[in-house]
Amino acid sequence: MSIILFGLNHRTAPLEVREKMTFPASTLEESLGRLAGSSSLKEGLILSTCNRTEVLGHASDGARDAAGVVRSFLSSERGVPPEELDRYCYRMADREAVHHLFRVAASLDSMVLGEAQILGQVKEAYQAALRAKSIGAVLDPLLRKALGVAKKIRSETGIARHPISVGYAAVTLARTIFEDLSGRKVLLIGAGKMSELAARHLVERGIGSVLVANRSFPRAVELAAKFAGQAVSFDRILEYLEETDIVISSTAAPHFIVRYEEVQKLIRARKSRPIFFIDIAVPRDIEPRVNTIDNVFLYDLDDLTGVVNANRAEREVEAKVAEEIVRQEADAFHAWVRTLDLSPVIVDVRQRLDDLRTSEMERFRSRLSGLTLEQRQAVEEMTDSLMNKILHHPIRALKESARTHAGPDRVLFFREVFGIQKRASGPSPAGEAAPSEAPSAPPDHDDPDAT
């Protein structure tokens, strides 16, 4: 059994590569269907955020180079040459992949250490995989566990105290250009969670007024009302830019919302008054060339990294506690996964001994003919109990061996001792129920809805 992870993030790939790798939410389930349709994978999940695109898979038995299959899938889906993926992507397997996922869900691998948004994004990826029926007996409990570990870390450590967000970093940058934010006017393009967070920080620091433009006007009205601001038409953004000092853009548009030529005209209309763009969208909303225009200041997600790192040191102590929790939980989950490989041989051994027991009962049928029905039932129960007692210690020892590297050798030994041939492996659809001998859930199984 093998868990694989293939992907890139803000540390391994620049923004212009990450934006090419982003999966739009509207087509994510279709992509999951194609991923799970691969003969090399039993299950698959895609986590796609502004800072990372990662594919998690459960490889089919005997599959060769499942990570290579995921690499080809990503290349085909996003139109990026495989050689370019090799330059920016990492690949992990089994315990390392589990450990990484737990760190991601707990925000230990985020640009902003301790930020809360990644937990919701992991949960959304999990729910999309459930709808697409692309996860089952291994990845389903793995994702549930990852969400539970993240919740535990947020409640048992101080990593979430004094929250720092990309929105906070954006406001910090704004104050380097406009020392005093009072009386300034900000335009939010897009009314998602990041825009809302940014607006909250701006209002807390005395921003003069807030305009909100969104393709869904009712949503713009809703967000503007939270800050006593004004909703404006998305189609009239350029007009409102003339009177705006700060622009924070975070839409899901696949193309630029504000282009170079438009900003050139804008800056003339503004009589060269400075304007500050913060583009926290992936793909980007603002054409990067606008940063070459005088009195135009453009910052994107990668530019915010410096601000974020300046605040990171305060959380490092709590992060060490969180890392230890992740390590312990990853070890426990990986040990549980390894016990799943034992299920077929345990089932086969039980079946083999039960067949022998039934055969012997049949062979002695004539000599037992004088027994009453109750006496025959007692003999049946006695032989069944004897079989279970004989198997108790060997099976317990086999399960213990799953926690060590001796597990596969013990499985072979079991099959040899009991004369059992290995089962032919066939296709196993996602969501297939685990055999009754397999552990039903990993240790401390968590409910993701509780997060």
Side-chain angles (χ1 to χ4, degrees):
M1 183 172 299
S2 182
I3 297 171
I4 59 161
L5 186 142
F6 189 96
L8 51 76
N9 64 22
H10 58 283
R11 292 193 187 86
T12 67
L15 183 54
E16 57 266 29
V17 174
R18 300 204 304 273
E19 61 189 1
K20 287 192 289 187
M21 297 298 296
T22 302
F23 282 78
S26 58
T27 61
L28 183 59
E29 290 178 38
E30 294 175 16
S31 297
L32 283 167
R34 289 188 286 275
L35 176 66
S38 162
S39 60
S40 295
L41 294 177
K42 285 183 176 179
E43 308 172 55
L45 174 140
I46 300 171
L47 174 62
S48 182
T49 74
C50 58
N51 278 326
R52 72 182 65 243
T53 294
E54 293 178 346
V55 175
L56 188 68
H58 171 205
S60 301
D61 295 339
R64 292 184 177 179
D65 193 19
V69 171
V70 173
R71 169 179 173 262
S72 299
F73 165 80
L74 284 173
S75 175
S76 172
E77 290 284 319
R78 307 316 309 151
V80 177
E83 298 75 21
E84 188 172 354
L85 291 180
D86 292 340
R87 202 178 312 151
Y88 299 111
C89 290
Y90 40 81
R91 56 179 75 191
M92 304 175 190
D94 297 326
R95 197 263 178 200
E96 186 184 12
V98 171
H99 183 258
H100 177 79
L101 175 65
F102 287 2
R103 291 191 77 248
V104 169
S107 81
L108 294 172
D109 197 53
S110 295
M111 175 188 290
V112 181
L113 185 63
E115 54 100 0
Q117 195 172 12
I118 186 63
L119 182 56
Q121 292 166 331
V122 172
K123 190 171 183 178
E124 288 170 4
Y126 168 57
Q127 290 172 339
L130 285 177
R131 290 192 297 272
K133 296 182 172 52
S134 65
I135 59 173
V138 173
L139 294 194
D140 188 338
L142 174 58
L143 265 294
R144 286 174 175 268
K145 190 64 185 175
L147 294 168
V149 169
K151 180 186 175 189
K152 180 178 181 179
I153 286 173
R154 297 191 76 77
S155 62
E156 295 185 7
T157 76
I159 198 167
R161 292 186 201 130
H162 311 296
I164 301 170
S165 66
V166 169
Y168 173 88
V171 173
T172 301
L173 277 176
R175 293 184 68 178
T176 66
I177 296 173
F178 305 108
E179 187 175 340
D180 183 6
L181 295 181
S182 59
R184 301 290 178 182
K185 183 175 287 188
V186 62
L187 171 63
L188 304 180
I189 305 177
K193 291 179 182 177
M194 293 185 77
S195 294
E196 183 172 346
L197 284 171
R200 180 167 293 116
H201 285 296
L202 286 166
V203 170
E204 288 172 355
R205 284 154 183 78
I207 197 75
S209 58
V210 177
L211 304 178
V212 182
N214 193 56
R215 291 196 187 279
S216 168
F217 192 73
R219 171 58 185 150
V221 171
E222 180 185 353
L223 181 57
K226 291 184 179 180
F227 305 108
Q230 176 189 353
V232 299
S233 169
F234 193 86
D235 296 331
R236 297 176 60 192
I237 286 175
L238 294 177
E239 297 176 30
Y240 288 101
L241 286 178
E242 290 187 21
E243 55 185 89
T244 300
D245 301 297
I246 302 168
V247 180
I248 298 180
S249 193
S250 177
T251 78
H255 49 72
F256 295 137
I257 300 294
V258 179
R259 297 183 182 277
Y260 176 80
E261 291 77 11
E262 296 165 338
V263 178
Q264 271 190 320
K265 296 178 184 174
L266 169 71
I267 207 67
R268 286 196 292 270
R270 292 172 59 90
K271 298 181 179 175
S272 296
R273 281 188 298 114
I275 184 168
F276 180 38
F277 289 97
I278 302 175
D279 188 353
I280 48 181
V282 178
R284 285 170 286 187
D285 286 339
I286 316 294
E287 188 173 359
R289 281 198 303 155
V290 307
N291 203 31
T292 63
I293 301 171
D294 286 344
N295 294 315
V296 175
F297 302 89
L298 169 63
Y299 290 85
D300 61 27
L301 266 180
D302 282 355
D303 296 323
L304 301 181
T305 304
V307 177
V308 167
N309 287 342
N311 294 280
R312 188 181 181 92
E314 299 175 11
R315 298 184 174 203
E316 291 294 347
V317 174
E318 296 298 330
K320 288 180 182 175
V321 179
E323 293 281 8
E324 178 59 20
I325 293 174
V326 165
R327 186 191 65 77
Q328 293 176 5
E329 297 287 355
D331 286 346
F333 186 88
H334 189 234
W336 174 80
V337 167
R338 294 175 74 165
T339 66
L340 297 180
D341 289 334
L342 306 179
S343 179
V345 70
I346 293 174
V347 171
D348 288 348
V349 166
R350 284 196 178 281
Q351 187 62 52
R352 180 61 182 270
L353 290 195
D354 194 59
D355 289 345
L356 287 174
R357 186 186 67 82
T358 304
S359 173
E360 289 301 295
M361 287 291 293
E362 189 63 27
R363 192 162 70 88
F364 283 86
R365 174 191 290 272
S366 61
R367 296 169 65 177
L368 298 175
S369 60
L371 299 180
T372 64
L373 178 62
E374 289 76 14
Q375 289 170 329
R376 282 185 59 82
Q377 287 177 341
V379 173
E380 288 273 359
E381 291 173 6
M382 181 192 69
T383 55
D384 189 62
S385 174
L386 183 61
M387 184 188 79
N388 286 330
K389 287 182 182 299
I390 290 172
L391 286 177
H392 176 72
H393 286 293
I395 288 178
R396 189 171 70 175
L398 183 64
K399 289 181 176 178
E400 285 296 321
S401 74
R403 302 178 184 278
T404 72
H405 293 295
D409 290 339
R410 292 284 178 87
V411 169
L412 291 175
F413 179 71
F414 247 60
R415 291 192 177 280
E416 188 177 339
V417 165
F418 289 99
I420 301 167
Q421 298 296 317
K422 187 175 182 181
R423 295 181 183 191
S425 58
S428 179
E432 179 186 31
S436 58
E437 285 287 353
S440 58
D444 300 321
H445 201 193
D446 298 284
D447 178 6
D449 292 333
T451 60

